[in-house]
């Protein structure tokens, strides 16, 4: 996952940068000592889905670090040139090879320590064909009582799954906003 | 607002970068020709509020470019170290000097061309004292029929205001997800 990297050199001219507060600002930014370029660093979005087939949810077992071998919902970094929904669909295709139809934003979870916001959409699977990509060891459908709760890769995935099953029992799906410490 | 900047030099060592597709990737990234550092560029979040006092909504007239002199909801770039809600509160304080209590996420609007996602929360103003910051010429409360629709700075602000008044008439506030072309 992402951790803010300290910027040592200017992206415009390559000279050394130093962290200080610009004149009209109140936070330290990496500023170029030669050309004056100011480098802003901001949280980034992770976008994914809760793919559902009947009473089952699709999870992917990670083939990459961090959390190699643990289970996750399909999700990854949002890219320039796409919407949050397009990114969620792309990750669902890349990681699981699943064909889904989005059914609405479901969770927005802040992970401040990682500088991330995780956004999950509910998604209806159109069939059960799967074709996991290189980042996934295997993709598998789970009923609620089969979920490997002690092998979930990320807390935002755990919270999203918990919200999903709770809302399904209540009969109404909301949008859940929260923070992960 | 933000436009993706092409990265010319490596943030780690200052050497020249070139855009090409890394071995395990499918998109062009700025890669350092000397140390191999890969530079990812991702959409960033703009966070703000719809501050409400009775039947009035608070708008701020911009003292900065772009859209100098036009009206906006208080909003700005989400920073590292804060949640979306904390960022929305910070911007409401910085731009309007308004004290508010958040009432829930209201809109999430993708602005793909700008590489941004705009997130607005509904917010209840605790009093009518205002103290606009240097980015704001003036802050003012408007009833629906007083909104300066032809002088709104950004389309995401216009859409958020339209959703707000429509939901208020219907008696129920939802979470609205959409895209701005
Ligand atoms: Zn420079
Ligand atoms: Zn380098």
């Amino acid at each position: 996952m992402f951790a803010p990297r300290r910027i040592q050199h200017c992206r415009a001219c390559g000279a050394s940068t130093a962290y200080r507060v610009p004149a009209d600002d109140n936070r330290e930014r990496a500023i170029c000592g030669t050309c004056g370029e100011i480098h802003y660093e901001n949280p980034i979005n992770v976008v994914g889905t809760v793919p559902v087939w009947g009473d089952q949810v699709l999870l992917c077992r990670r083939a990459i670090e961090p959390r190699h071998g643990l289970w996750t919902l399909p999700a990854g970094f949002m890219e320039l040139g796409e919407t949050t929904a397009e990114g969620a669909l792309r990750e669902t295709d890349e990681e699981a090879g699943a064909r889904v139809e989005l059914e609405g934003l479901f969770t927005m979870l802040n992970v401040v320590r990682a500088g991330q916001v995780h956004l999950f959409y509910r998604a209806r699977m159109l069939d059960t064909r799967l074709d996991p990509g290189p980042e996934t060891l295997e993709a598998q459908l789970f009923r609620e009582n089969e979920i490997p709760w002690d092998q979930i890769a990320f807390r935002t995935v755990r919270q999203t799954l918990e919200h999903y099953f709770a809302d399904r029992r209540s009969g109404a799906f909301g949008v859940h906003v929260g923070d992960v410490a």
Side-chain angles (χ1 to χ4, degrees), chain A:
Chain A
M1 306 301 267
F2 172 86
R5 305 273 269 293
R6 300 298 275 184
I7 296 169
Q8 310 281 341
H9 290 271
C10 174
R11 74 178 148 217
C13 78
S16 291
T17 56
Y19 278 82
R20 55 187 178 78
V21 180
D24 57 350
D25 202 341
N26 51 27
R27 279 165 201 262
E28 290 197 340
R29 317 283 183 186
I31 304 179
C32 178
T34 299
C35 78
E37 176 91 356
I38 302 171
H39 302 74
Y40 296 94
E41 295 157 273
N42 302 87
I44 59 184
N45 294 329
V46 170
V47 288
T49 61
V50 185
V52 175
W53 178 257
D55 64 346
Q56 299 172 94
V57 168
L58 183 69
L59 297 179
C60 299
R61 204 152 74 85
R62 289 173 63 82
I64 53 172
E65 293 297 344
R67 318 292 165 84
H68 182 283
L70 298 188
W71 294 90
T72 186
L73 291 163
F77 292 117
M78 185 184 179
E79 299 278 3
L80 291 173
E82 68 186 9
T83 64
T84 48
E86 289 166 348
L89 286 172
R90 177 182 52 71
E91 290 290 343
T92 305
D93 176 50
E94 288 179 6
E95 299 198 347
R99 283 153 296 282
V100 301
E101 190 174 80
L102 294 190
E103 295 193 303
L105 180 66
F106 185 56
T107 56
M108 182 176 86
L109 300 169
N110 283 273
V111 191
V112 171
R113 270 194 310 182
Q116 296 175 356
V117 180
H118 290 207
L119 298 158
F120 286 95
Y121 287 78
R122 287 185 297 116
R124 189 173 65 83
M125 290 175 67
L126 302 177
D127 56 62
T128 57
R129 282 176 297 167
L130 300 171
D131 181 18
E135 298 187 0
T136 304
L137 294 170
E138 56 180 320
Q140 191 181 313
L141 289 164
F142 293 90
R143 292 192 172 78
E144 182 175 3
N145 63 4
E146 299 166 341
I147 298 278
W149 290 108
D150 58 341
Q151 297 170 59
I152 299 295
F154 303 108
R155 273 188 289 177
T156 57
V157 169
R158 169 184 295 274
Q159 284 192 15
T160 297
L161 289 170
E162 289 170 348
H163 282 303
Y164 179 79
F165 292 118
D167 279 16
R168 193 173 70 177
R169 276 191 295 275
S170 82
F173 292 101
V175 180
H176 302 275
V177 177
D179 308 325
V180 167

